[in-house]
Amino acid sequence: MTGDPDFFFGRWIISSGQMNVQRGVGYNNPEADRLVELAAAEREPAKKKELYDRLQRLVASDVPLCPIYHDVCLYATRKEVQDLTLDPFFKPSLEKAWIK
């Protein structure tokens, strides 16, 4: 959703993750927790990708959940609306928008 895999892994996969706990997923894998924490803290893109690749392989083999739906946000505007952007949560940001 935000372009950063931690938005998903840090909520759904880590054992203390908000959605893992609140939604009753109950996934608990110490190696997954370790990889989530390492990947979230890593700043070098190649190393971060490698950690998330390992994490994805681990989660794919464990199959703690199976998403069947992902919400898509559609926004339509007239051609006169300029510079309308979406924030990281896909909500319209009107700060720089203007009508031509």
Side-chain angles (χ1 to χ4, degrees), residues 1-14 36 39-40 45 48-49 51-53 55-56:
M1 181 171 170
T2 66
D4 187 340
D6 189 58
F7 188 83
F8 173 80
F9 289 110
R11 291 172 183 252
W12 287 94
I13 300 304
I14 198 166
V36 169
K48 189 176 194 82
K49 181 184 181 315
L51 289 166
Y52 279 122
D53 287 347
L55 181 58
Q56 287 181 82

Side-chain angles (χ1 to χ4, degrees), residues 2-91:
T2 66
D4 187 340
D6 189 58
F7 188 83
F8 173 80
F9 289 110
R11 291 172 183 252
W12 287 94
I13 300 304
I14 198 166
S15 60
S16 62
Q18 175 190 11
M19 301 307 276
N20 188 359
V21 173
Q22 287 180 355
R23 299 289 169 94
V25 175
Y27 183 61
N28 187 347
N29 182 324
E31 178 63 7
D33 288 354
R34 186 180 78 77
L35 288 170
V36 169
E37 291 171 0
L38 286 173
E42 182 58 56
R43 295 297 166 230
E44 186 177 320
K47 288 182 182 177
K48 189 176 194 82
K49 181 184 181 315
E50 192 247 314
L51 289 166
Y52 279 122
D53 287 347
R54 286 174 46 199
L55 181 58
Q56 287 181 82
R57 285 191 297 273
L58 175 64
V59 171
S61 69
D62 286 348
V63 193
L65 52 94
C66 182
I68 57 172
Y69 172 77
H70 188 282
D71 193 19
V72 175
C73 298
L74 299 175
Y75 292 97
T77 64
R78 296 172 59 132
K79 62 183 176 183
E80 293 87 1
V81 176
Q82 304 291 307
D83 296 331
L84 179 68
T85 59
L86 301 178
D87 71 13
F89 295 101
F90 297 99
K91 293 188 176 88

